[in-house]
Amino acid sequence: MDAFSYLSVLNSIVLGLGVASLLAGFASMVRARDRVVMYWPLPAQMGLVFLIHVQLWWALFALRERTQWSFPGFLVVLMQPVLAYLAAAFLVPDIRDGEALDLKWAYFREARWFFAAVLLLVLDSLAKSLILGGRLPNSGDLAGHAVFISLSVAGIVSRKDIVHKIIAPASLLALAAYIATLFVTLR
């Protein structure tokens, strides 16, 4: 087994746990729909975090030809799935049997933790470029990072409903553009 295959196993496990958390959370919301007061930014952000997990797994393949690995290099790569998992864990609400749940209350209760995890994920992505590549990403990639840093900081700072109703679709559009620009083909 080569180093990439060995190291990618743990990354894939953590990414799988995050995806499982998101899917189980969504299924719980559907099953409890008669007891759940909907707040659409929450499932929209769940969709965003799902796409982040998929994009991280997709982008991991680009490291397949790397033969020299250090512990700091592996750790910075592993932190991306860890932070994506935490973003999912903070975002997905606990729905207990028989209890009503207001998704707006649940969203704002954990919003700062969620956006902090996303912010750290974006910063870790920049650190990965520096540690593994010795430089920051190209200007288009860096612009995408700047957009997500801005959206994350806005999510941390603001408790206004309208701000979060703008952040949710803006984040989805930004991630779709980011993936379309940089990750359409498997390289």
Side-chain angles (χ1 to χ4, degrees):
M1 178 182 283
D2 62 64
F4 172 77
S5 297
Y6 177 75
L7 297 173
S8 67
V9 169
L10 185 56
N11 283 288
S12 296
I13 290 169
V14 176
L15 286 169
L17 290 170
V19 169
S21 174
L22 289 163
L23 295 177
F26 181 74
S28 291
M29 288 179 0
V30 169
R31 284 192 306 271
R33 64 189 171 274
D34 57 332
R35 296 179 282 116
V36 171
V37 178
M38 182 53 66
Y39 182 66
W40 69 263
L42 192 145
Q45 293 289 30
M46 288 173 68
L48 172 79
V49 176
F50 175 80
L51 289 176
I52 289 171
H53 278 77
V54 173
Q55 186 273 329
L56 288 173
W57 184 77
W58 185 265
L60 182 63
F61 190 70
L63 299 174
R64 73 191 176 285
E65 295 176 7
R66 185 177 190 82
T67 56
Q68 297 296 321
W69 284 92
S70 65
F71 186 75
F74 173 66
L75 189 60
V76 76
V77 171
L78 177 62
M79 286 309 297
Q80 288 183 300
V82 166
L83 291 164
Y85 171 83
L86 288 173
F90 294 140
L91 188 60
V92 174
D94 289 329
I95 301 176
R96 295 183 179 91
D97 285 341
E99 291 184 16
L101 179 64
D102 181 347
L103 292 184
K104 184 175 182 179
W105 174 85
Y107 174 85
F108 278 103
R109 181 177 185 268
E110 306 299 344
R112 287 192 173 121
W113 285 97
F114 164 68
F115 283 105
V118 173
L119 176 62
L120 291 173
L121 172 59
V122 175
L123 295 175
D124 184 72
S125 177
L126 293 172
K128 181 180 85 170
S129 294
L130 287 170
I131 290 172
L132 297 183
R135 61 186 178 357
L136 288 172
N138 66 47
S139 60
D141 198 352
L142 201 54
H145 283 76
V147 167
F148 280 102
I149 288 170
S150 300
L151 290 168
S152 297
V153 169
I156 292 168
V157 171
S158 178
R159 302 292 281 179
K160 293 184 179 180
D161 180 55
I162 189 66
V163 171
H164 288 267
K165 286 182 175 177
I166 292 169
I167 290 172
S171 297
L172 282 166
L173 289 172
L175 184 62
Y178 182 77
I179 291 170
T181 304
L182 300 171
F183 295 101
V184 172
T185 58
L186 195 58
R187 300 177 229 166

